Amino acid sequence: MSRFFTTGSDSESESSASGDELAPKPAGGNYSKPLLLSEDEEDTKRVVRSAKDKRFEELAALIRTIRNAMKIRDVSRCLEDFELLGRAFAKAKGVLERDGPPRFYIRILADLEDYLAEVMG
């Protein structure tokens, strides 16, 4: 029981008992315990991916968002994602120089051309 809620003469007996509970804290913080990692954190492995894989995943994610925008006929979203796709492709240009543009990139460009012809015409 807190010493603030006690009445009269009981305060002396409880204050001596609660004095044990309120041990003084060491100055400078609670740094006496070492930092231990849990077993879950120790077992996680980092996945190392090549730069080519990272760029392909970025392009594929943008293509998925463009296809979704095409399905719901959101032309402004297609334009925004197409601009992001162009930037991502320019960023991946160094990685893709050897093999050329990936097939899925060329396919989305053709699909976008057909989509725009259908929407505008």
Side-chain angles (χ1 to χ4, degrees):
M1 184 174 213
S2 176
R3 62 180 163 179
F4 297 110
F5 295 108
T6 60
T7 58
S9 65
D10 292 341
S11 66
E12 292 179 7
S13 63
E14 285 189 15
S15 66
S16 64
S18 65
D20 297 336
E21 294 175 39
L22 300 175
K25 293 184 179 182
N30 192 5
Y31 300 111
S32 61
K33 295 181 183 178
L35 177 66
L36 298 175
L37 298 176
S38 68
E39 291 180 19
D40 294 337
E41 292 175 358
E42 292 173 2
D43 292 340
T44 57
K45 305 239 180 192
R46 292 183 61 165
V47 178
V48 179
R49 295 179 300 175
S50 67
K52 183 177 178 180
D53 290 342
K54 288 179 187 176
R55 299 298 178 206
F56 271 31
E57 286 178 13
E58 183 180 4
L59 291 172
L62 286 168
I63 288 172
R64 273 192 302 269
T65 59
I66 290 173
R67 290 204 186 278
N68 288 338
M70 288 168 57
K71 285 180 185 176
I72 61 172
R73 298 211 176 261
D74 189 359
V75 178
S76 63
R77 181 69 184 184
C78 281
L79 176 64
E80 291 171 8
D81 290 338
F82 178 72
E83 289 173 352
L84 292 174
L85 183 67
R87 290 185 199 131
F89 186 76
K91 201 187 300 184
K93 193 82 166 167
V95 175
L96 302 174
E97 283 180 350
R98 183 180 40 164
D99 298 333
R103 186 172 223 171
F104 60 86
Y105 180 77
I106 295 171
R107 187 176 299 138
I108 191 65
L109 293 179
D111 289 347
L112 272 172
E113 182 180 12
D114 294 342
Y115 172 72
L116 288 176
E118 177 186 324
V119 170
M120 297 297 178

